Amino acid sequence: MAEFDEERNQLQIKLVYYGPALSGKTTNLAALHDLLQPDLKGDMMVLETQNDRTLFFDLFPLGFQLPSGLTVTLKLYTVPGQVQHDSTRKAVLSRADGVAFVADSQRNQEQNNLESFRNLSENASRVGLDFGALPLAVQFNKRDLGDVVSKPDLVARWQSSPWWPIKLATALENKGVLETFQLLLERTWGALDRDYALGEQHGLDRVTFVQNVLGQSDAVS
């Protein structure tokens, strides 16, 4: 859950990008770092080793300040996709306010996507998150590659799920990245407003929240 620092008048929100190895989680974050223009944007950190592209996580802080004086900050993370780093996945997922699940659109990755999604559900429970109530956006990335699951097939599989609509993306080309992030913000807003009365006490509505995070006068359509 979000952390409110009363002394500093700061609300910190945690969003996590989850998914199988090499699905494009880090690519999404790198694209967001280039595309977003909020009032406050920090550096992106990538922790790598020789054998693992993202051993722990990537994060960069961004945020904005409201006329009421409240500073809203967001930290975006990715989890490692490799199975052997499951303990790190749980640590990063802990206290998340929302999750973007990044799947690989290639047909030969369907089982990996399924196992990773199941792992997300299990780890959410292990760290005390209610998976059924967790704000979640689902992205199918790498639409530019050959032999991907067709859009009609994805629609048939997901349109009756509570996470519909899903977003299609080619993160390397910045396609679908902002749309996925905006969907995640919109789904996260309800719990934040309920817990911290952002509308009542700070005059912040859902649309303005999204626009401030995106650093744009208009949200992505």
Side-chain angles (χ1 to χ4, degrees):
M1 60 183 301
E3 297 181 9
F4 178 65
D5 185 331
E6 186 173 0
E7 183 176 341
R8 299 173 63 186
N9 199 22
Q10 181 180 85
L11 179 67
Q12 185 175 101
I13 302 164
K14 180 179 183 180
L15 302 176
V16 175
Y17 277 65
Y18 209 100
L22 301 178
S23 62
K25 302 179 295 295
T26 301
T27 305
N28 268 269
L29 249 67
L32 284 173
H33 191 260
D34 290 339
L35 293 169
L36 295 176
Q37 298 295 327
D39 294 336
L40 308 171
K41 183 171 74 171
D43 294 331
M44 181 174 177
M45 298 192 304
V46 181
L47 305 182
E48 299 180 347
T49 68
Q50 183 176 358
N51 298 319
D52 292 295
R53 186 164 181 255
T54 311
L55 177 57
F56 291 104
F57 55 81
D58 316 311
L59 72 89
F60 67 91
L62 58 96
F64 58 92
Q65 189 170 50
L66 299 175
S68 65
L70 177 71
T71 299
V72 179
T73 65
L74 295 89
K75 287 191 174 181
L76 276 61
Y77 297 77
T78 70
V79 301
Q82 298 81 3
V83 175
Q84 63 267 35
H85 301 307
D86 196 52
S87 60
T88 303
R89 290 181 191 167
K90 290 196 287 282
V92 175
L93 184 62
S94 178
R95 300 183 66 83
D97 296 292
V99 173
F101 183 81
V102 181
D104 190 321
S105 291
Q106 297 175 96
R107 290 188 180 276
N108 63 8
Q109 295 300 309
E110 289 186 276
Q111 186 62 33
N112 286 337
N113 291 332
L114 178 61
E115 291 174 358
S116 183
F117 196 81
R118 184 182 299 118
N119 176 259
L120 168 60
S121 174
E122 293 171 349
N123 279 345
S125 297
R126 289 168 181 155
V127 299
L129 298 175
D130 180 354
F131 185 67
L134 180 67
L136 179 67
V138 177
Q139 176 195 98
F140 274 83
N141 189 29
K142 300 189 176 182
R143 301 302 295 175
D144 57 319
L145 300 183
D147 196 28
V148 299
V149 180
S150 69
K151 182 176 180 179
D153 283 349
L154 291 175
V155 171
R157 296 177 192 180
W158 286 83
Q159 65 179 346
S160 62
S161 80
W163 306 292
W164 178 262
I166 61 172
K167 296 297 181 180
L168 305 182
T170 303
L172 279 174
E173 300 175 5
N174 295 346
K175 296 178 180 178
V177 172
L178 281 178
E179 291 82 354
T180 302
F181 186 49
Q182 178 173 325
L183 179 61
L184 178 59
L185 293 172
E186 290 170 347
R187 291 182 169 173
T188 304
W189 164 258
L192 294 173
D193 187 40
R194 182 185 65 243
D195 293 342
Y196 299 100
L198 297 179
E200 180 180 350
Q201 296 187 15
H202 302 281
L204 182 66
D205 59 30
R206 179 181 61 84
V207 173
T208 306
F209 169 71
V210 172
Q211 291 176 348
N212 274 280
V213 175
L214 296 179
Q216 299 174 351
S217 58
D218 295 298
V220 178
S221 61

